[in-house]
Amino acid sequence: MAVAQQSDATLIRDKKGLDAAASRGRALLYPNRTKITVGMSSCGLAAGAGALFTALSNHIREKELDIELTRTGCIGFCQKEPLVDISVPDRRVVHGGIKMADIAALIEQASHGDPTSKRALAYLEQPAPLLPGLEGDHPKPLYDALPHLMDLDFYRKQRRIALRNCGLINPENLEEYIARGGYRALHHALTAMTPETVINQVALAGLRGRGGAGFPTADKWGICSRQPGEKKFVICNGDEGDPGAFMDRSIMEGDPHSVLEGMALGAYAMGADKGYLYVRGEYPLAVATLENAIEQARAAGLLGEQILGSDFNFDVAIIRGAGAFVCGEETALIASIEGDIGSPRQRPPFPAVSGLWGKPTNINNVETWANIAPIIQHGGEWFASVGTEKSKGTKVFSLVGKVKHTGLVEVPMGVTLREIVFDIGGGIPKKRAFKAVQTGGPSGGCIPAEHLDMPIDYEKLREIGAMMGSGGLIVADDHTCMVDIARYFLEFLMDESCGKCTPCREGVFQMYAILARICDGSAREGDLELLESLANYVKTSSLCQLGGTAPNPVLSTLSHFREEYEAHINDKRCPAGVCKNLVKFRIVPESCTGCGLCRKDCPTKAITGENKQAHAIDQDDCVSCGVCYEVCVFDAVEPLSRSHS
């Protein structure tokens, strides 16, 4: 039995050294024996992958089997975790939902060279494509009933650039990254490109910042590169504070060197010699993975002095953030790195002119940096050939909420929300109706069903009062109250406001207070008009974009779901059956099958009834928690206004 270990990095000074490292990496990625790979990102570990890995290791050791055991990051299909792959020399078979009871049979088949099991989902050819979904047709399957990974509905419309290595390599091994083309772009830039040429390729690619604002990356780089002085900085924003977002975390955990190589290319283009990875403290696995990657890159001569035998010097340090959402804003992030309170400052000057310690500084988020090496390696025109006229390339989204298949998806700019929610995500569970999708995190907007066929890019989202944000997509069904959704996000933003400027500090608090009144049935006359007026004022008067975008959940829900607000205020009714003070529930006898699900899950035992007979709710014991309404698959539970007789 062999458990894959990270290799001792050999100093790499030139293309010959990269070739040698790639050869060693390929031997690890595609060994001439059976290999088992366990998805060990945060989502996998949460689903029990750690215990599975230990059990697999013990079983292989006890049986003295010649099977290699290793780990990988998140391949995106979080709904199917824990994921375990079995590789033979020409195929890698992905298995989903593996349980402890499956281990013995899984290893038994693997030991006989059979990579399939009853939990097999799909196969990947070996060697795997460098850019899955972007490199043409794949070979026909060896197994009649087993599709290629990119033929699964979840992956069919995906194109993986930023996520190109996630779920395919061991993120703890530098040489596996090099085997898949890693650090070739940096070598090419240092030996054949000027800093200006690198920036020109990024401009030709049309890459825009993936952190939310969508500012052209090459423009930021160009401004920073033209500033006088020898000291400049590049920063990777890995704070990712949006609820429901985990795009950056998955890249840092699954492909850390893609971020480091991107930062090194940016530093070369802008004349910087120092970089900082600002990672939120709630991401311990990402921090540990990055620390290991930095140590390996330094040992290999890919960070530090005279990188790849050139006169280019660049090193990276990790700064752990304390979890303040406002530190996702550039100037607040800089203040935090400097050891000050993380609060924004007035701009200009912009960080590209005067940033960290007053020096020219460029900040991009994790996904932006992960796109840089492929752009330099394959050319700006290649990247620009994907996407829309003004929004080039792909975008990574975390697909969560009321959707069948949650996970991480990377799609070309210009796909529609319908394609993401229904074709990739599988639609809404329990045969319920789609109501809205919330994009752009807590500062984003809620998009109704009428815009499902709208192509997703920066401009289109702004036109309807939403925003791209970092890439969180939270799907809501018809059991979701849009007033409550706005209240939830305003509560989050109220807590996260730094308090430096009055419009945000006081305005967000007052908006939340109005929403809370509406939800609990104590709204006052004129509250709706006051809420809208206040939202517009906060939007135009706040110091930074936390306050500037905080009203988006309010304004977008008012625009698209105003009738829900009016029902709460005028009729004292919550149409979605969520707001406890405004709703009570009854079971419709004609629709109830007596399945007992609601009775079983009711926390106050307010539901009575015999099996296969209509149930009833005792209103004296009911606390209007809505559990019965949520679990009923027969639409037999009906929400009513509290005033309903």
Side-chain angles (χ1 to χ4, degrees):
M1 186 276 289
V3 177
Q5 305 287 337
Q6 73 175 61
S7 63
D8 294 328
T10 302
L11 195 63
I12 299 172
R13 309 302 294 171
D14 50 24
K15 184 178 180 297
K16 183 177 179 181
L18 279 174
D19 290 341
S23 178
R24 294 191 295 272
R26 281 191 293 271
L28 293 171
L29 275 173
Y30 315 117
N32 289 319
R33 57 178 173 174
T34 300
K35 180 172 81 168
I36 296 178
T37 306
V38 182
M40 299 279 279
S41 62
S42 290
C43 54
L45 291 171
L52 278 174
F53 188 91
T54 300
L56 285 164
S57 177
N58 291 339
H59 197 106
I60 292 170
R61 184 179 62 253
E62 289 167 4
K63 298 291 185 180
E64 298 182 346
L65 299 173
D66 186 26
I67 294 176
E68 185 169 339
L69 179 65
T70 186
R71 64 187 67 205
T72 189
C74 175
I75 202 169
F77 212 170
C78 306
Q79 186 77 28
K80 298 295 184 180
E81 293 282 6
L83 289 159
V84 176
D85 300 353
I86 300 178
S87 303
V88 292
D90 64 345
R91 292 292 148 115
R92 176 173 182 162
V93 177
V94 183
H95 301 73
I98 298 298
K99 303 180 187 302
M100 296 293 284
D102 299 322
I103 287 177
L106 205 65
I107 291 179
E108 176 68 20
Q109 287 182 267
S111 64
H112 289 91
D114 182 1
T116 64
S117 82
K118 63 181 181 180
R119 297 195 184 276
L121 298 175
Y123 79 94
L124 271 172
E125 64 269 36
Q126 302 271 51
L130 294 181
L131 295 162
L134 282 168
E135 297 186 352
D137 295 333
H138 40 71
K140 294 181 179 179
L142 291 178
Y143 318 104
D144 293 338
L146 202 60
H148 189 279
L149 185 73
M150 300 308 292
D151 280 340
L152 293 178
D153 288 342
F154 187 78
Y155 289 101
R156 187 173 290 119
K157 294 190 174 183
Q158 291 196 48
R159 302 291 182 268
R160 298 166 71 85
I161 299 176
L163 301 179
R164 59 194 178 276
N165 294 320
C166 291
L168 298 179
I169 65 170
N170 181 350
E172 296 181 346
N173 191 286
L174 166 65
E175 290 175 344
E176 290 193 15
Y177 175 73
I178 294 174
R180 287 185 52 79
Y183 289 104
R184 299 285 179 172
L186 181 59
H187 177 268
H188 178 65
L190 295 178
T191 57
M193 300 175 75
T194 65
E196 293 78 13
T197 307
V198 172
I199 295 176
N200 288 341
Q201 284 299 312
V202 175
L204 190 62
L207 178 66
R208 298 170 67 172
R210 297 307 197 240
F215 192 83
T217 302
D219 289 358
K220 289 178 71 172
W221 287 21
I223 294 169
C224 188
S225 70
R226 292 191 293 271
Q227 300 308 306
E230 296 182 357
K231 195 66 179 178
K232 298 176 183 177
F233 298 99
V234 295
I235 296 174
C236 174
N237 181 354
D239 192 57
E240 195 173 48
D242 293 2
F246 50 94
M247 301 77 60
D248 292 350
R249 188 202 74 209
S250 295
I251 294 173
M252 290 186 286
E253 291 177 355
D255 193 15
H257 286 284
S258 69
V259 182
L260 298 181
E261 184 177 10
M263 292 179 70
L265 285 161
Y268 171 69
M270 288 174 271
D273 64 358
K274 183 68 176 180
Y276 290 95
L277 276 153
Y278 187 90
V279 186
R280 65 190 297 104
E282 295 92 334
Y283 284 176
L285 180 58
V287 170
T289 306
L290 287 165
E291 286 175 341
N292 176 74
I294 290 170
E295 183 180 331
Q296 286 190 329
R298 284 179 185 148
L302 299 169
L303 286 177
E305 297 184 355
Q306 297 181 325
I307 293 173
L308 286 168
S310 70
D311 58 0
F312 172 56
N313 305 324
F314 177 66
D315 205 356
V316 175
I318 295 176
I319 303 293
R320 297 187 69 165
F325 178 70
V326 74
C327 286
E329 195 275 340
E330 288 187 336
T331 59
L333 185 153
I334 287 171
S336 180
I337 293 177
E338 292 174 341
D340 205 346
I341 295 173
S343 63
R345 62 164 172 79
Q346 189 68 49
R347 298 181 297 177
F350 290 91
V353 176
S354 177
L356 188 62
W357 292 298
K359 304 299 182 183
T361 303
N362 178 82
I363 303 177
N364 289 120
N365 84 323
V366 170
E367 185 184 342
T368 309
W369 288 120
N371 276 299
I372 298 300
I375 288 172
I376 300 305
Q377 189 169 4
H378 301 284
E381 289 185 350
W382 162 80
F383 188 85
S385 69
V386 180
T388 66
E389 181 182 356
K390 294 183 178 180
S391 298
K392 304 297 186 182
T394 59
K395 179 72 188 79
V396 183
F397 293 99
S398 60
L399 184 61
V400 297
K402 302 298 180 66
V403 64
K404 288 181 181 177
H405 302 308
T406 58
L408 209 60
V409 304
E410 183 174 2
V411 292
M413 292 283 195
V415 302
T416 65
L417 285 169
R418 187 183 301 277
E419 289 176 288
I420 295 178
V421 174
F422 289 92
D423 295 346
I424 296 174
I428 314 302
K430 301 180 181 179
K431 298 181 180 179
R432 290 179 181 157
F434 171 88
K435 188 170 189 177
V437 62
Q438 211 272 354
T439 67
S443 300
C446 294
I447 303 172
E450 64 192 78
H451 294 297
L452 268 174
D453 294 309
M454 179 192 73
I456 297 178
D457 65 15
Y458 291 98
E459 282 70 32
K460 294 291 186 183
L461 288 172
R462 287 198 192 104
E463 286 174 10
I464 59 170
M467 58 187 287
M468 184 78 71
S470 59
L473 286 179
I474 303 175
V475 181
D477 65 11
D478 55 359
H479 284 202
T480 304
C481 173
M482 303 313 295
V483 184
D484 184 63
I485 284 285
R487 181 205 57 78
Y488 168 80
F489 284 120
L490 263 291
E491 183 177 22
F492 175 85
L493 293 165
M494 178 181 66
D495 290 341
E496 294 294 339
S497 172
C498 73
K500 188 172 184 177
C501 74
T502 303
C504 179
R505 181 183 68 244
E506 301 298 332
V508 174
F509 173 80
Q510 293 299 333
M511 282 192 293
Y512 170 76
I514 296 171
L515 288 166
R517 288 202 299 270
I518 295 173
C519 287
D520 69 19
S522 60
R524 301 192 288 254
E525 185 178 352
D527 268 352
L528 209 55
E529 293 74 19
L530 177 59
L531 178 64
E532 194 164 18
S533 174
L534 188 56
N536 284 310
Y537 174 75
V538 173
K539 187 176 185 70
T540 56
S541 305
S542 296
L543 173 63
C544 81
Q545 283 305 296
L546 187 151
T549 58
N552 285 347
V554 174
L555 292 172
S556 64
T557 52
L558 276 172
S559 174
H560 301 302
F561 302 96
R562 197 179 191 92
E563 70 281 357
E564 283 201 37
Y565 282 87
E566 292 170 345
H568 281 69
I569 296 171
N570 301 329
D571 304 330
K572 303 301 180 187
R573 179 175 62 89
C574 176
V578 171
C579 300
K580 293 182 181 181
N581 286 0
L582 300 179
V583 69
K584 66 178 182 179
F585 298 94
R586 82 175 186 99
I587 295 175
V588 181
E590 297 79 13
S591 302
C592 181
T593 64
C595 70
L597 278 177
C598 60
R599 185 183 71 232
K600 176 184 175 183
D601 290 349
C602 178
T604 61
K605 307 302 179 185
I607 299 176
T608 58
E610 300 296 326
N611 288 338
K612 298 184 180 180
Q613 294 182 15
H615 289 20
I617 299 175
D618 185 335
Q619 296 299 331
D620 291 335
D621 292 333
C622 179
V623 294
S624 298
C625 66
V627 169
C628 56
Y629 185 51
E630 192 65 28
V631 301
C632 182
V633 296
F634 302 103
D635 290 327
V637 180
E638 180 182 24
L640 301 171
S641 168
R642 277 282 180 186
S643 60
H644 192 278
S645 58

